[in-house]
Amino acid sequence: MGTIMINSGLILIIDDTPTNAKMLESMLKRNGFTPATASSGRDGLAFIKEQAPELIILDIMMPEMDGFEVCRRLKADARTADIPIIFISAMNELDSIVTAFDIGGVDYITKPFQLREVQKRVESHLTLIRQRREIEALREQERLQFEKITSMREKFIHAATHDLKNPLQLITGYTEVLRNDDTFKAN
């Protein structure tokens, strides 16, 4: 299984209600995002195999495969486990909300939703994602720099050891010669 490249700015809306999907798609386009829609969990999973979105807005109540199952499958796959999922649902019981968070959702919005609220939550989560990526990139840079410095230090120690070894061998050799030479022996 190969790595799925995250498509920055791409937001996948998985919702079986066309009106909701269209409203969300329109709002996201107006705010500079690239929305894509899937009308079922299976269609959403198929889309993600081709290109991974930066974020998913996922309805819970859908036929065939509900949003909880879609989320479980995404979180079980190492290639898609880190894609944040915002659940959006008419289900506003505490158990549903807690389940959404327990299985890996990062947020939960109840229907009927307010577009400005959805926009702000999407922006917040994308900011968090991008900041996390920047931190990971900086850590990787630091790791590479540490490895480079460690390698340079090891080369220096090897060279210094080698360079000190030769004069010490020379001194030891002269000392042996002097020790064995009768002219330097005490009477």
Side-chain angles (χ1 to χ4, degrees):
M1 292 204 170
T3 303
I4 296 176
M5 285 299 297
I6 299 293
N7 189 341
S8 187
L10 177 64
I11 299 172
L12 177 61
I13 303 159
I14 305 175
D15 196 325
D16 64 326
T17 307
T19 307
N20 289 340
K22 287 288 180 207
M23 285 186 349
L24 291 168
E25 183 179 29
S26 176
M27 179 272 299
L28 291 169
K29 277 183 184 174
R30 276 194 317 271
N31 288 286
F33 299 108
T34 306
T37 60
S39 59
S40 71
R42 290 194 196 291
D43 289 347
L45 291 173
F47 180 92
I48 293 165
K49 281 184 181 179
E50 298 301 316
Q51 60 177 324
E54 195 168 18
L55 184 131
I56 298 169
I57 299 174
L58 179 60
D59 186 21
I60 294 174
M61 296 187 301
M62 295 184 289
E64 294 180 35
M65 181 187 307
D66 68 15
F68 291 146
E69 181 59 25
V70 172
C71 182
R72 284 185 189 98
R73 290 184 185 194
L74 291 170
K75 297 304 175 182
D77 185 339
R79 298 170 304 157
T80 57
D82 290 336
I83 299 172
I85 297 172
I86 297 176
F87 282 100
I88 192 160
S89 179
M91 297 170 54
N92 63 1
E93 301 86 35
L94 182 60
D95 288 343
S96 297
I97 296 169
V98 169
T99 298
F101 284 110
D102 283 347
I103 63 173
V106 296
D107 210 339
Y108 193 99
I109 301 169
T110 56
K111 293 179 184 176
F113 53 83
Q114 300 296 316
L115 288 175
R116 286 184 21 220
E117 176 187 7
V118 175
Q119 173 192 338
K120 290 302 176 189
R121 289 180 188 234
V122 165
E123 289 171 357
S124 291
H125 287 291
L126 288 176
T127 298
L128 290 171
I129 295 164
R130 291 169 182 166
Q131 287 173 341
R132 185 176 344 124
R133 282 191 204 128
E134 287 176 18
I135 290 169
E136 288 170 2
L138 288 172
R139 283 184 180 155
E140 180 63 14
Q141 267 184 327
E142 287 176 353
R143 185 188 66 76
L144 292 172
Q145 195 161 14
F146 177 78
E147 286 176 2
K148 182 178 177 182
I149 290 170
T150 300
S151 174
M152 289 171 61
R153 185 193 74 188
E154 288 172 2
K155 287 177 183 174
F156 173 76
I157 289 172
H158 182 284
T161 303
H162 182 267
D163 289 350
L164 288 174
K165 197 178 200 182
N166 288 339
L168 288 175
Q169 285 177 338
L170 191 62
I171 292 170
T172 304
Y174 282 135
T175 304
E176 266 316 295
V177 169
L178 293 175
R179 194 179 288 160
N180 294 331
D181 192 340
D182 290 336
T183 57
F184 290 103
K185 287 187 179 174
N187 291 340

